[in-house]
Amino acid sequence: MEIKLLKDGYKNIESLYEDFKADMIAENEEYFSEESVYIDQTPSFPIYIAKGSTEHKKKEFLEAFNTVTHSYLSLDRSILLSEHFWHSFLLIYKRNYIIGKYPEVLDNENKFKNIVLKKLDWENYIYKIILGAQYIADYINNEDQRQRYFGLIIDNLDLYNYIIKYEIFRNDDFLINILDIIDELGLSEILKAKIKGREDLGDDERYGRRVIFELNKSYPIVLSPMLSKDDLKDIFIEYLGYYYDVSDIKS
Amino acid sequence: MTDINNNQWKFTSIENIEESHFDRSLERFFGMGVMGLVRENIQNSLDGYLYDDKPVIVKIKTGEMRATDVPGIDNLRERINTLEGRNNYTKETIKHMNEKIKQNRIRYMSFEDENTKGLTGAENGQTNSKSDTWGIYAYNKGFHFEEENISKEEIRGGSHGVGKIASNAASDLHAMFFSNCDDKNQKHLGGTVQLVEHWFNGQAYRSTGYFTDAQRENGLLKYYPFSNESNHPFRKDTRGLKIIIPFLREEYDDQMAIVKSVCDSFFVSILKNKLEVHINDQVINKDNLTDYVYNDQYYEQSVENMKDVFTPMYVDTYLNYPIEKDLVVESKDETYQFKLFFKYDEKISKGRTAIIRTVGMKIEDFKVNGYATKPYNAVVIGDKKADAYLKSLENESHTEISNKHINDKYLKSNATRFINNLSRAIKKHIDDAIQENNQMDGIMDTKDIIYTVERKFKNDLQKATETVRVGNGKSLRKTKGNSSKKERRNRADAETNATGDKGEKRNKRDPLKFKKAKGDGKVVDEKQRYSTYPETVERLRLDDHEILQFDFSSSKLLMGVTECDVVLAVIDGTGKEYSDEFKVDSNFTRAIDLGTGQDCRLLKNKITNVKVNNGIIKLRLDYDRKMNKSLKFIYYLEVE
Amino acid sequence: MIYKKDANFPYPILSNHAQSYVNSIFELDVDVMENNDTYRFTIKHDIGSEFIKRLIALNKAELILIIQSKDSKFYRLKEQEIEVSKSRVSLDQKTSLQLHIQALTDISFHDNQDLSQFYDQFKEDIKVNKFNLLAYSNVVTFDAPYQKPFDLFEKKLDEHMKKDIKIEVGQATINIYYRKPEYQFHTLPKSQYLNHPYIYIGLTKALQQFIMNNGEDGEVELKTVEPVSELENKLLDLMQSKMIDELTVDNIDDVIYEITDNIIEKYVRSVEEMVANGD
């Protein structure tokens, strides 16, 4: 299917939101550039997963991971991680889906921008889904295992967000190793918890984030993305030990 | 009922008067004056051309005649006498008509064409046959010929078919005649008059009157033209059409204006030898057009002062500046080609583009949006396809192309696209010309003021970046980041040789750099803060401690300083600096000043009371068990 | 993730900027070819330390290629060439490559003869742990080509302006708008030099904006900065080619002096000439 791309500067077109509401974008040539991309499949998937119960969000994430894995991952990165592509795709080809699923985009422009026109970076759900799906699918062929890893990401979302925030750790080996370590050592709950008794740290510091931050500060002396799982595990526990009593954890 | 026996002027009877004003087009054409009249009539003549290799000749005459020689003048007088105005304007006009019709000697103007087909099928009278152009011209108000040959139809002008009324507008009585001689040498005379709806002998009539004969056929009244037995100026003895406007309004009676109108609108037709115009005893043809156009009696000749009329520039551009490559303009569904003539001249103060029909008539002095004051002049002539499209874009009086009169949404946006693309294509030429012109590097007056500086930048930029081809005809920009010291040294040497002392300077920079205090009030004790360059710091981690050594002996900033604080800022894996993240008091158990053997105080992110000995600082820092030993730092000095 | 920031590491690191080694060189060059599905990178490098070269030869250390665009990919470099699928890397977006050298075992520096003076005295005691970094190279970056690769300025005439001149810092060039052609002195001899003050102002504006967009506390460390706009990248190229490491609110005039060719002197000289000739 041909996906026509919007012309540069589409974000600044004042009438964009009103025309989106009125379904007037697709037919207005003025919005389009000469460029287009071709993609085979265009199934819809949740693009904004911030609301509802934990169960609901989990279901939505899984649906998104699986849809992206099956239908989008084979695209060239120049398309797959192009904000221009996704915004064009959503605005023109997924309007009905978006309005059906996220009717609040019709309420006001801020909601619209936050859900549809969001910058494609680590805070964007599409970005989170693509990177997670790609890292897992590239390394894990077994379908059950894939679902397990998707589940691990969802269960450790706070840490996952923090990991992909840093370019250093936007890396497949690293993510899978970290998920394995958390799973093996049963650290999920601890890592999510807020750190107590350390007024010198920020208000919302959590054990998991601090461990990742220590890894960040140690880079590139410690090339954590290149470490095997067991080598990384030792360092992981050492760094956790700066903040948490790990005597019970050491395996 | 029309009185067919007594009246040469036929008006259709109606039940009652509904409209009490004159046809609106009259006023508009009157506003356009000689120009509108000349354009409409010559355009029609050009459309009727008979030979590809002979110019259409249009003879324009103005003169005096007796009112009584106007055919059907008595009938007309009776009608006009009965007209009643319902508003001021109509009253005024009717009053004017009544005064004028009393005159004995009147002025007239005629347009007679030769080497043209004239109208056909006059003997068939009022018909609906498309090939009987007489019937259409004579009896339809908004006429529109359709040539049987489509390609001819496309290049015909006259897209709105109201041209005839331009002639009515030129007459004090709103009357005009047309005298036709066809290929069988049949001569007919017709005419129209534009009055208002009126009562006449107890009957209401329409506003338009036809000078025509009529017969009743099958109970219906059908018009047939009078065969032409009139005298000068109504006679037409050679094949073609002649338009005669009696009671010529004095605003039109202007030889100079007629000559200029002909040149302004038809210079391309004339220069291409498609048209020759005689205005009384003056002849304008391909050989002498420039005698008029380049004559300061007719036209302002100074390029700087041409601000409304641009004909001398257009003619110059057309004759001397043809562009090899056609201008290609796309609408949404079609591509059109235009022949382009283009001149760039810095003296020009108003940039205009003459848009010309294939028949050679100028439609508009087109202003390219945003480029109306660029120093250029251009002429574009459409091909047949473009012509047909332009025709659909023209306003009613063929003087502007626009999308305003188009109602269909698609056609309107298509027209917008076309006009934008046309503008863009012309803009590109202007931009290129401006650029090209500015590259001309004269001895005294180089137009491109930036050129010399730019040339240097260009050279430097070319050196700094590398464009690499990666196959598939694609290329990428490659930069190699900071080169090594070796390369920098080599380049520094080369640079030093070339430009004197520039290369030397940076090697001698002070090892410290003054930092302004941040606005957050953290530096409460008014100490000066300096950042250090990593190259002036030596740091080594050993088993459970590290050695830290600074050499600021060459720093002017630290001269005379004997004591300072050392602040540690940790750098993360992305290169980001955190000034409050690393706390010395929880990560080091002890800090020993190796110069004095004394302990230093550890306070949050600072090691305080460190002695400076001739710019040298030496410290030993003992690690806490829980310190991350894989960190890297930038150091700051704080000095009283 | 590539690493560029100069800082003090806890032990000697070989890089093009650090002082730990006498011959501080670790240079990388990369060529790239592409076909429909993959990029093929050809890696060339130059290491300034025999000690490190030996470690690699003995398999005690390893070269690691890092490719960073939207995310980071790490490859153990066994051969000179490496192929990467386009579904995982796109050079249409800015992509940076760097080599790191990682220790594969605990390494003692006692027979490292390449260290600079300070570290040489401690070399018996220096140990680098397994998997820790030994060296990092310069960064090779690929990006979409500039739209106007070699232009820094554009001049334009805009008679509709309310002001006489406008100097605007654009995406790709510095644009100087004149309300009238005369304001370019185009009728005077040496008019190009007479316009140098405008160029000076344009460069000042652009560099100030550069600092605002890329700096902290009015300072930009050019080594690590990654500007967004084409103009800023070109200015960065220019400054780096003149070996300028840092741009601050205080050294803008010095930087302009370095990157231009005596534009003020030329301006002054042409005014003097005109006065002398009575023009």
Side-chain angles (χ1 to χ4, degrees):
Chain A
M1 175 175 183
E2 181 186 4
I3 307 296
K4 289 201 273 181
L5 297 184
L6 296 166
K7 71 176 178 191
D8 283 350
Y10 60 92
K11 282 190 209 172
N12 302 325
I13 299 175
E14 275 182 27
S15 56
L16 185 74
Y17 179 54
E18 290 305 319
D19 284 352
F20 175 81
K21 286 205 289 191
D23 197 9
M24 300 252 290
I25 295 179
E27 67 189 32
N28 186 348
E29 289 286 329
E30 302 292 314
Y31 277 108
F32 292 93
S33 69
E34 304 291 317
E35 294 171 275
S36 56
V37 299
Y38 292 86
I39 64 179
D40 293 338
Q41 296 172 289
T42 59
S44 304
F45 61 89
I47 57 160
Y48 182 76
I49 314 177
K51 287 189 173 166
S53 66
T54 312
E55 265 323 292
H56 172 76
K57 283 195 268 187
K58 199 164 174 169
K59 206 175 120 269
E60 296 269 292
F61 262 111
L62 264 186
E63 181 193 337
F65 275 130
N66 283 312
T67 308
V68 167
T69 303
H70 290 127
S71 302
Y72 292 95
L73 280 192
S74 58
L75 293 173
D76 277 6
R77 271 232 167 157
S78 56
I79 302 169
L80 189 61
L81 287 181
S82 158
E83 178 177 287
H84 191 186
F85 162 74
W86 283 106
H87 286 173
S88 305
F89 183 57
L90 296 178
L91 285 172
I92 303 159
Y93 302 90
K94 290 293 171 198
R95 181 182 173 274
N96 289 343
Y97 176 77
I98 288 166
I99 286 174
K101 196 161 175 74
Y102 312 104
E104 63 265 36
V105 299
L106 298 178
D107 294 350
N108 69 54
E109 194 166 354
N110 284 339
K111 286 177 181 166
F112 166 73
K113 282 187 171 161
N114 194 38
I115 293 174
V116 186
L117 269 198
K118 196 170 178 65
K119 192 168 184 267
L120 192 74
D121 65 7
W122 66 278
E123 290 183 285
N124 184 315
Y125 286 89
I126 296 174
Y127 188 86
K128 293 179 211 254
I129 299 292
I130 291 173
L131 284 192
Q134 192 165 74
Y135 294 163
I136 302 302
D138 274 4
Y139 273 73
I140 314 294
N141 289 323
N142 177 296
E143 191 55 40
D144 291 343
Q145 284 297 313
R146 274 190 190 174
Q147 299 307 315
R148 184 176 78 87
Y149 278 105
F150 288 151
L152 282 172
I153 291 181
I154 298 164
D155 287 342
N156 295 283
L157 208 54
D158 180 66
L159 199 62
Y160 175 70
N161 286 338
Y162 199 72
I163 287 172
I164 63 168
K165 183 176 165 184
Y166 294 109
E167 283 159 311
I168 314 178
F169 301 127
R170 262 179 238 150
N171 174 267
D172 35 21
D173 288 302
F174 182 77
L175 177 69
I176 288 172
N177 281 340
I178 294 284
L179 292 176
D180 278 338
I181 291 168
I182 295 171
D183 197 30
E184 283 172 27
L185 301 179
L187 292 176
S188 192
E189 291 310 312
I190 294 171
L191 296 179
K192 266 181 235 175
K194 286 193 183 181
I195 299 176
K196 294 182 193 81
R198 287 287 299 263
E199 281 72 29
D200 55 321
L201 305 174
D203 287 345
D204 192 28
E205 282 294 353
R206 290 152 198 266
Y207 291 106
R209 294 186 193 180
R210 277 316 286 195
V211 174
I212 300 298
F213 187 50
E214 289 297 334
L215 286 167
N216 176 8
K217 286 190 293 179
S218 303
Y219 185 93
I221 293 174
V222 178
L223 283 170
S224 27
M226 287 302 281
L227 297 180
S228 71
K229 184 181 75 188
D230 289 336
D231 292 326
L232 183 61
K233 194 193 281 180
D234 292 343
I235 293 173
F236 193 97
I237 293 169
E238 182 191 332
Y239 290 167
L240 181 59
Y242 297 162
Y243 304 95
Y244 186 84
D245 182 359
V246 291
S247 47
D248 296 341
I249 293 173
K250 279 188 183 168
S251 47
Chain B
M1 288 295 268
T2 304
D3 182 351
I4 56 169
N5 296 319
N6 300 323
N7 269 317
Q8 290 170 295
W9 287 96
K10 309 284 191 296
F11 289 81
T12 307
S13 59
I14 47 178
E15 291 291 308
N16 209 336
I17 291 181
E18 288 171 2
E19 294 194 55
S20 51
H21 53 76
F22 288 97
D23 189 305
R24 304 265 183 228
S25 299
L26 290 165
E27 202 181 336
R28 203 184 49 253
F29 273 106
F30 179 60
M32 287 164 54
V34 172
M35 177 71 85
L37 179 67
V38 165
R39 283 170 63 92
E40 289 303 331
N41 284 315
I42 296 184
Q43 186 191 337
N44 283 342
S45 297
L46 282 171
D47 291 338
Y49 75 94
L50 197 52
Y51 310 108
D52 284 327
D53 56 347
K54 279 195 214 168
V56 166
I57 296 171
V58 177
K59 294 177 174 168
I60 303 174
K61 280 206 166 70
T62 52
E64 207 179 69
M65 61 182 286
R66 286 189 308 212
T68 48
D69 288 342
V70 176
I73 187 69
D74 295 335
N75 276 173
L76 209 49
R77 191 177 286 120
E78 287 173 23
R79 291 274 173 176
I80 288 171
N81 282 336
T82 67
L83 298 183
E84 277 178 50
R86 303 281 172 96
N87 60 46
N88 280 342
Y89 176 73
T90 323
K91 276 184 192 153
E92 194 101 337
T93 308
I94 293 168
K95 189 170 160 227
H96 178 78
M97 285 179 158
N98 276 309
E99 277 167 21
K100 291 292 171 186
I101 208 165
K102 288 178 197 149
Q103 290 178 324
N104 292 324
R105 299 203 67 83
I106 59 165
R107 296 289 295 176
Y108 75 91
M109 190 193 301
S110 65
F111 292 80
E112 176 178 5
D113 60 27
E114 289 173 18
N115 298 337
T116 52
K117 283 189 276 196
L119 300 172
T120 55
E123 68 273 22
N124 301 328
Q126 195 177 17
T127 70
N128 289 320
S129 165
K130 286 180 180 173
S131 56
D132 289 344
T133 53
W134 175 277
I136 298 166
Y137 188 84
Y139 306 121
N140 286 7
K141 206 166 145 194
F143 74 95
H144 185 177
F145 293 114
E146 281 191 40
E147 294 278 352
E148 283 165 352
N149 177 341
I150 287 180
S151 74
K152 270 195 179 171
E153 167 64 17
E154 279 169 353
I155 60 170
R156 254 200 76 258
S159 46
H160 297 273
V162 293
K164 199 172 46 171
I165 211 166
S167 298
N168 296 90
S171 161
D172 284 323
L173 304 188
H174 297 164
M176 59 85 72
F177 291 86
F178 40 98
S179 171
N180 189 55
C181 177
D182 65 15
D183 55 338
K184 291 167 249 169
N185 208 28
Q186 305 181 96
K187 297 164 193 169
H188 296 92
L189 182 66
T192 61
V193 66
Q194 293 291 337
L195 304 177
V196 290
E197 290 181 358
H198 55 280
W199 288 95
F200 187 68
N201 293 341
Q203 171 67 45
Y205 290 96
R206 270 198 190 140
S207 53
T208 305
Y210 298 95
F211 180 78
T212 186
D213 207 352
Q215 287 177 22
R216 197 166 289 282
E217 290 177 2
N218 306 325
L220 291 171
L221 195 68
K222 185 177 167 187
Y223 293 153
Y224 284 95
F226 295 115
S227 90
N228 191 2
E229 280 141 24
S230 317
N231 294 318
H232 175 79
F234 297 91
R235 291 194 63 80
K236 171 66 176 157
D237 291 326
T238 55
R239 186 172 177 189
L241 186 68
K242 183 176 188 180
I243 308 293
I244 307 99
I245 303 159
F247 295 91
L248 183 68
R249 295 171 82 143
E250 63 180 65
E251 292 87 345
Y252 288 78
D253 203 350
D254 182 343
Q255 175 95 357
M256 168 89 80
I258 298 167
V259 170
K260 286 177 75 173
S261 292
V262 168
C263 295
D264 288 342
S265 292
F266 296 99
F267 62 91
V268 173
S269 311
I270 294 169
L271 289 168
K272 280 168 108 173
N273 202 30
K274 296 284 175 200
L275 175 69
E276 179 176 310
V277 183
H278 304 196
I279 301 130
N280 295 321
D281 51 355
Q282 281 180 305
V283 175
I284 308 176
N285 59 29
K286 69 174 181 2
D287 299 320
N288 71 0
L289 176 101
T290 52
D291 293 348
Y292 295 96
V293 173
Y294 295 162
N295 181 337
D296 61 10
Q297 307 245 301
Y298 288 88
Y299 288 98
E300 166 69 58
Q301 293 297 315
S302 148
V303 167
E304 289 94 328
N305 295 333
M306 287 185 206
K307 288 178 177 163
D308 300 310
V309 178
F310 310 96
T311 306
M313 275 199 272
Y314 289 142
V315 170
D316 180 42
T317 304
Y318 176 77
L319 289 175
N320 301 312
Y321 299 92
I323 302 293
E324 206 57 45
K325 207 161 165 273
D326 281 358
L327 204 64
V328 177
V329 180
E330 289 178 352
S331 70
K332 285 183 177 182
D333 38 25
E334 273 286 8
T335 302
Y336 304 101
Q337 300 211 326
F338 292 84
K339 188 98 200 74
L340 173 66
F341 303 82
F342 185 92
K343 182 169 90 167
Y344 180 88
D345 179 350
E346 300 237 301
K347 293 201 290 293
I348 297 173
S349 57
K350 306 272 180 198
R352 293 291 185 277
T353 302
I355 297 184
I356 311 273
R357 274 258 200 75
T358 310
V359 293
M361 184 176 88
K362 184 183 78 178
I363 300 167
E364 187 185 7
D365 298 320
F366 186 68
K367 285 184 218 167
V368 176
N369 200 3
Y371 283 58
T373 55
K374 300 280 182 201
Y376 83 99
N377 182 264
V379 175
V380 298
I381 305 177
D383 61 6
K384 286 185 184 177
K385 192 162 71 166
D387 225 48
Y389 188 61
L390 282 178
K391 196 162 72 176
S392 74
L393 294 184
E394 281 167 28
N395 64 349
E396 195 180 28
S397 33
H398 320 301
T399 53
E400 188 191 348
I401 62 167
S402 80
N403 64 359
K404 285 178 207 135
H405 63 281
I406 300 175
N407 295 321
D408 178 273
K409 202 177 161 195
Y410 177 80
L411 291 179
K412 199 180 186 84
S413 86
N414 199 20
T416 308
R417 171 79 62 93
F418 174 84
I419 292 169
N420 286 345
N421 283 345
L422 177 64
S423 297
R424 197 170 302 140
I426 297 170
K427 268 183 194 175
K428 172 131 189 358
H429 265 276
I430 301 168
D431 286 343
D432 288 352
I434 289 172
Q435 204 167 16
E436 195 182 331
N437 233 266
N438 286 347
Q439 275 167 7
M440 290 199 320
D441 203 359
I443 298 163
M444 292 292 277
D445 172 19
T446 145
K447 294 236 172 59
D448 191 344
I449 49 124
I450 289 160
Y451 184 58
T452 20
V453 198
E454 269 287 78
R455 196 166 47 202
K456 168 153 172 59
F457 285 134
K458 272 179 200 179
N459 290 340
D460 286 343
L461 279 172
Q462 259 157 348
K463 273 189 247 163
T465 52
E466 187 182 343
T467 304
V468 294
R469 305 191 71 80
V470 291
N472 301 346
K474 267 174 66 178
S475 37
L476 291 169
R477 176 164 55 90
K478 172 174 157 185
T479 40
K480 285 210 271 180
N482 275 88
S483 44
S484 68
K485 269 196 236 130
K486 181 182 72 176
E487 198 182 320
R488 290 160 74 87
R489 240 183 340 256
N490 292 344
R491 271 203 279 169
D493 291 346
E495 194 81 3
T496 307
N497 293 338
T499 62
D501 65 347
K502 279 189 182 179
E504 280 294 302
K505 278 185 297 188
R506 61 161 303 281
N507 294 334
K508 288 184 183 165
R509 69 176 177 185
D510 196 288
L512 287 174
K513 186 173 59 173
F514 180 67
K515 276 291 244 203
K516 290 195 186 81
K518 283 190 187 171
D520 58 6
K522 288 260 164 67
V523 189
V524 281
D525 41 7
E526 299 285 314
K527 286 183 174 177
Q528 307 271 37
R529 193 174 221 213
Y530 301 98
S531 65
T532 68
Y533 294 102
E535 69 226 35
T536 59
V537 182
E538 312 279 14
R539 175 182 173 222
L540 181 63
R541 175 184 78 189
L542 296 160
D543 276 348
D544 56 355
H545 68 277
E546 70 176 53
I547 306 287
L548 190 60
Q549 183 174 313
F550 301 82
D551 182 354
F552 304 122
S553 53
S554 64
S555 172
K556 291 192 184 109
L557 296 170
L558 219 62
M559 240 188 284
V561 171
T562 56
E563 196 178 276
C564 70
D565 297 345
V566 177
V567 180
L568 278 72
V570 71
I571 306 295
D572 79 0
T574 66
K576 192 176 167 204
E577 184 177 324
Y578 299 81
S579 50
D580 289 327
E581 164 66 19
F582 187 83
K583 304 290 191 293
V584 294
D585 47 1
S586 56
N587 282 290
F588 300 137
T589 53
R590 206 178 161 195
I592 305 162
D593 187 331
L594 293 176
T596 62
Q598 304 286 311
D599 273 23
C600 303
R601 227 179 117 212
L602 298 171
L603 186 71
K604 291 182 178 170
N605 63 343
K606 272 183 215 176
I607 306 166
T608 64
N609 311 110
V610 179
K611 291 283 177 284
V612 184
N613 186 4
N614 289 323
I616 307 287
I617 296 168
K618 277 187 182 176
L619 290 168
R620 174 192 158 123
L621 306 167
D622 289 358
Y623 292 156
D624 185 88
R625 190 180 51 82
K626 281 191 178 182
M627 163 160 166
N628 183 341
K629 298 178 187 62
S630 305
L631 302 180
K632 55 215 164 301
F633 296 100
I634 292 280
Y635 300 93
Y636 293 89
L637 296 194
E638 285 184 7
V639 176
E640 291 272 352
Chain C
M1 170 83 187
I2 57 162
Y3 183 84
K4 289 197 280 195
K5 171 91 173 173
D6 272 359
N8 291 108
F9 283 70
Y11 56 86
I13 297 279
L14 179 71
S15 78
N16 291 317
H17 292 282
Q19 309 270 1
S20 323
Y21 283 77
V22 174
N23 202 10
S24 268
I25 293 169
F26 183 14
E27 282 187 30
L28 168 69
D29 194 6
V30 181
D31 288 329
V32 61
M33 292 300 290
E34 66 170 287
N35 62 27
N36 278 340
D37 304 318
T38 59
Y39 294 107
R40 183 195 296 149
F41 298 101
T42 308
I43 314 296
K44 286 178 274 186
H45 57 79
D46 181 11
I47 296 171
S49 159
E50 292 304 316
F51 175 73
I52 303 255
K53 284 187 197 170
R54 205 161 57 237
L55 291 176
I56 295 170
L58 294 171
N59 215 20
K60 289 183 175 176
E62 189 171 43
L63 282 161
I64 290 167
L65 177 70
I66 301 171
I67 303 179
Q68 176 188 316
S69 51
K70 291 277 186 179
D71 59 2
S72 298
K73 306 278 174 201
F74 298 77
Y75 302 90
R76 296 185 197 280
L77 197 68
K78 307 285 188 206
E79 289 165 7
Q80 270 218 308
E81 285 185 353
I82 191 158
E83 284 205 2
V84 181
S85 160
K86 283 190 182 173
S87 65
R88 295 299 174 263
V89 165
S90 162
L91 295 190
D92 290 348
Q93 290 144 347
K94 185 172 180 174
T95 303
S96 301
L97 293 91
Q98 188 177 37
L99 276 181
H100 285 195
I101 297 173
Q102 185 191 31
L104 292 176
T105 61
D106 288 351
I107 290 169
S108 164
F109 272 33
H110 73 273
D111 59 349
N112 186 343
Q113 308 300 323
D114 307 331
L115 294 172
S116 63
Q117 200 189 348
F118 173 80
Y119 291 110
D120 198 57
Q121 56 184 320
F122 296 103
K123 69 182 175 193
E124 296 296 329
D125 300 320
I126 301 176
K127 284 193 192 68
V128 173
N129 297 336
K130 188 179 173 182
F131 302 136
N132 279 10
L133 180 80
L134 292 169
Y136 65 91
S137 75
N138 59 300
V139 177
V140 175
T141 303
F142 294 100
D143 206 342
Y146 288 136
Q147 290 171 342
K148 295 173 184 161
F150 308 124
D151 295 324
L152 215 48
F153 283 90
E154 276 185 16
K155 66 162 182 168
K156 292 173 179 170
L157 204 61
D158 181 356
E159 294 189 11
H160 301 298
M161 288 198 303
K162 288 229 174 69
K163 52 220 166 234
D164 293 330
I165 192 157
K166 180 170 87 175
I167 299 176
E168 168 196 87
V169 180
Q171 202 282 133
T173 51
I174 298 164
N175 306 318
I176 306 180
Y177 296 86
Y178 300 84
R179 188 159 64 86
K180 294 180 179 170
E182 302 92 275
Y183 296 168
Q184 305 177 357
F185 304 107
H186 69 304
T187 55
L188 294 177
K190 305 219 165 156
S191 64
Q192 75 271 35
Y193 298 143
L194 298 177
N195 281 276
H196 279 181
Y198 300 148
I199 295 199
Y200 202 101
I201 295 166
L203 284 169
T204 306
K205 276 195 174 185
L207 291 172
Q208 278 167 344
Q209 202 160 308
F210 191 106
I211 295 171
M212 261 158 49
N213 292 341
N214 302 288
E216 236 175 275
D217 300 339
E219 297 178 2
V220 191
E221 197 181 332
L222 299 180
K223 227 172 277 180
T224 49
V225 74
E226 297 192 350
V228 176
S229 83
E230 175 168 329
L231 174 65
E232 287 181 1
N233 272 299
K234 287 190 287 198
L235 286 169
L236 178 65
D237 291 345
L238 264 182
M239 290 189 280
Q240 294 203 317
S241 76
K242 298 291 169 190
M243 288 170 300
I244 298 162
D245 290 330
E246 133 187 290
L247 173 67
T248 70
V249 283
D250 299 323
N251 79 348
I252 286 179
D253 297 303
D254 304 271
V255 168
I256 294 176
Y257 180 71
E258 294 281 342
I259 64 175
T260 57
D261 192 17
N262 299 318
I263 59 172
I264 294 302
E265 191 191 327
K266 284 176 184 159
Y267 164 69
V268 171
R269 218 185 291 141
S270 46
V271 174
E272 282 170 353
E273 268 173 43
M274 268 198 307
V275 173
N277 298 337
D279 278 338

